[in-house]
Amino acid sequence: QVQLVESGGGLVQPGGSLRLSCAASRSIFSIYAMNWYRQPPGKQREMVAVASSGGSTNYADSVKGRFTISRDNAKNTVYLQMNSLKPEDTAVYYCSVVAGLQNYWGQGTQVTVSS
């Protein structure tokens, strides 16, 4: 069964903005952290942003000041607001949820930044 549903990917111009959403199934309990990763073409997957259950956040250096991760715990949803997008941000973006001892992954959503 699908446990993470992502949305918001697409094509945007450099300097533009995009917001990704990831809704975790209500059957996933005790979520500790909700994260965003990305995998640029031909490169290794990398962590983009992390939001813990306590509200703390962490970002990759490459996106600090441009991306914002937020959570709506009532909806089991995590968002990634991406501003000032650059072509280097082009990647498949993956939602990841840490709950208990389990890791859950979305299928990924393509973000393309191009003029």
Side-chain angles (χ1 to χ4, degrees):
Q1 60 178 352
V2 178
Q3 296 178 293
L4 300 179
V5 180
E6 299 166 318
S7 62
L11 174 65
V12 296
Q13 294 184 339
S17 298
L18 201 64
R19 189 179 79 156
L20 305 182
S21 300
C22 174
S25 171
R26 299 293 175 87
S27 65
I28 302 177
F29 298 96
S30 301
I31 295 177
Y32 170 72
M34 304 185 77
N35 315 319
W36 287 99
Y37 288 74
R38 69 184 182 186
Q39 186 168 20
K43 296 183 178 181
Q44 187 81 284
R45 185 168 60 186
E46 63 180 350
M47 187 272 289
V48 176
V50 176
S52 71
S53 59
S56 64
T57 59
N58 192 32
Y59 299 90
D61 289 340
S62 59
V63 307
K64 284 182 178 178
R66 300 188 298 118
F67 289 12
T68 302
I69 188 171
S70 60
R71 291 176 60 174
D72 185 339
N73 291 327
K75 297 182 178 180
N76 269 14
T77 299
V78 62
Y79 306 92
L80 185 67
Q81 179 66 47
M82 304 183 293
N83 299 325
S84 301
L85 284 163
K86 306 175 181 179
E88 306 90 87
D89 296 318
T90 296
V92 178
Y93 283 72
Y94 296 91
C95 176
S96 176
V97 169
V98 180
L101 299 178
Q102 304 293 323
N103 292 324
Y104 303 86
W105 291 89
Q107 296 300 305
T109 183
Q110 177 70 47
V111 172
T112 302
V113 185
S114 176
S115 59

